[in-house]
Amino acid sequence: MTTGAGQVVIDEADGAVRVGLNRPTRHNALVPELVNELDDALDQAAGRDPTALVLTGNGASFSTGGDISGFLSHAGSREELLGYAEDLVGGLHEVVLKLLSFPAPVLAAVNGPVTGGATGLVLAADMAAMSEQAFLQPYYCTVGFAPDGGWTALLPERIGTAKALQIQYLNERISADEAQALGLAACVCARSELDGVIAQWLRMLETGSRATHRATRKNIWDDVRLEQVRMRLDREKSRFLDLIVQPDTLAGMKAFLQKRA
């Protein structure tokens, strides 16, 4: 059963719920509308009591993070830009927290590139399978943004503080193989094999106790730990809002789009 004809599509099969980002012509770049639909989709998925949640992107990319064109289209005034950024980054952070507290295992099928704040969707997954073409990259320092989506709230705990800083300072690209070596991906495969890997994981989850899986996840992402992540995400958002209205950041966004064009 598939529902949703907008920027997020929900598909239910074999006891699992698959949620796909569905803005492929924009490489699933994040805008408030997509983030709001994703938030609603996670509520719907949780209500279906699935064996697992699978998060992926439709098209060539998983997601290229916040849509810079969206920011610039709301840069007519400081207040308008701040309101747009608050909606987008605040909404993304609520989605990350919902993924961390989801009542079933969360799997990410990373079909292509992941940049900027969209990386938080992968960091919030329990297990990620990445296609050979996929990679993670921050891009914050090339534009002038402050990190969001968990680059400072979640990544240092996963790979160590020094490595997390190095990647962000130097805007390093984390290939799929390096992501696996760092523990950010459980598997790297050809893109054509991605669905098969996820299907295998789902079959293995089915053989175990659903109650045990959920208890394990809830023990790890308990209220204390979730509150710490929320505080760090709030700090990320505050600093993002501080920088988004700076003249250098506006110039950086325009230069980034011109270079891409």
Side-chain angles (χ1 to χ4, degrees), residues 97 100 152-154 157 220-235:
L97 289 164
L100 294 176
T152 59
L154 291 169
E157 185 180 31
I220 289 177
W221 292 110
D222 60 12
D223 291 342
V224 173
R225 197 172 183 198
L226 286 172
E227 184 57 29
Q228 290 175 341
V229 174
R230 178 179 289 279
M231 290 173 60
R232 292 172 184 157
L233 289 174
D234 285 348
R235 189 177 302 121

Side-chain angles (χ1 to χ4, degrees), residues 10-254:
I10 307 174
D11 180 71
E12 187 174 8
D14 300 323
V17 174
R18 187 182 184 97
V19 175
L21 307 183
N22 190 39
R23 201 175 176 233
T25 59
R26 295 291 298 168
H27 293 273
N28 298 318
L30 304 178
V31 291
E33 294 80 8
L34 185 154
V35 171
N36 290 339
E37 287 187 33
L38 181 54
D39 187 275
D40 290 342
L42 294 181
D43 288 339
Q44 293 180 46
R48 295 178 183 182
D49 192 31
T51 301
L53 172 73
V54 180
L55 184 62
T56 192
N58 293 336
S61 301
F62 181 87
S63 174
T64 52
D67 193 328
I68 292 180
S69 296
F71 286 113
L72 287 175
S73 69
H74 290 81
S77 70
R78 176 186 175 92
E79 291 72 22
E80 182 185 2
L81 182 55
L82 283 173
Y84 179 87
E86 169 77 36
D87 289 344
L88 177 55
V89 178
L92 171 62
H93 288 178
E94 288 302 317
V95 164
V96 169
L97 289 164
K98 280 192 177 183
L99 287 170
L100 294 176
S101 59
F102 196 80
V106 176
L107 311 178
V110 186
N111 53 302
V114 190
T115 61
T119 304
L121 304 177
V122 179
L123 295 176
D126 301 325
M127 297 167 61
M130 293 182 67
S131 75
E132 295 167 335
Q133 296 84 8
F135 62 83
L136 310 173
Q137 193 164 2
Y139 281 109
Y140 294 106
C141 63
T142 66
V143 180
F145 290 156
D148 67 335
W151 276 93
T152 59
L154 291 169
L155 186 63
E157 185 180 31
R158 296 284 301 275
I159 67 172
T161 300
K163 187 64 175 178
L165 288 169
Q166 172 190 320
I167 290 167
Q168 294 178 75
Y169 286 157
L170 304 181
N171 189 36
E172 291 183 348
R173 178 169 294 188
I174 308 171
S175 69
D177 286 338
E178 185 177 6
Q180 185 176 27
L182 290 170
L184 298 174
C187 174
V188 176
C189 61
R191 183 167 176 171
S192 61
E193 298 173 359
L194 199 58
D195 287 343
V197 170
I198 296 296
Q200 181 182 20
W201 287 353
L202 292 174
R203 287 193 296 270
M204 294 176 71
L205 287 172
E206 283 282 5
T207 65
S209 164
R210 182 179 298 193
T212 300
H213 295 328
R214 296 188 177 198
T216 302
R217 196 166 205 273
K218 194 168 182 61
N219 283 349
I220 289 177
W221 292 110
D222 60 12
D223 291 342
V224 173
R225 197 172 183 198
L226 286 172
E227 184 57 29
Q228 290 175 341
V229 174
R230 178 179 289 279
M231 290 173 60
R232 292 172 184 157
L233 289 174
D234 285 348
R235 189 177 302 121
E236 285 189 350
K237 183 181 72 173
S238 177
R239 289 176 177 152
F240 191 98
L241 296 177
D242 286 343
L243 291 188
I244 191 67
V245 293
Q246 299 301 316
D248 286 349
T249 305
L250 293 170
M253 288 191 285
K254 292 174 183 177

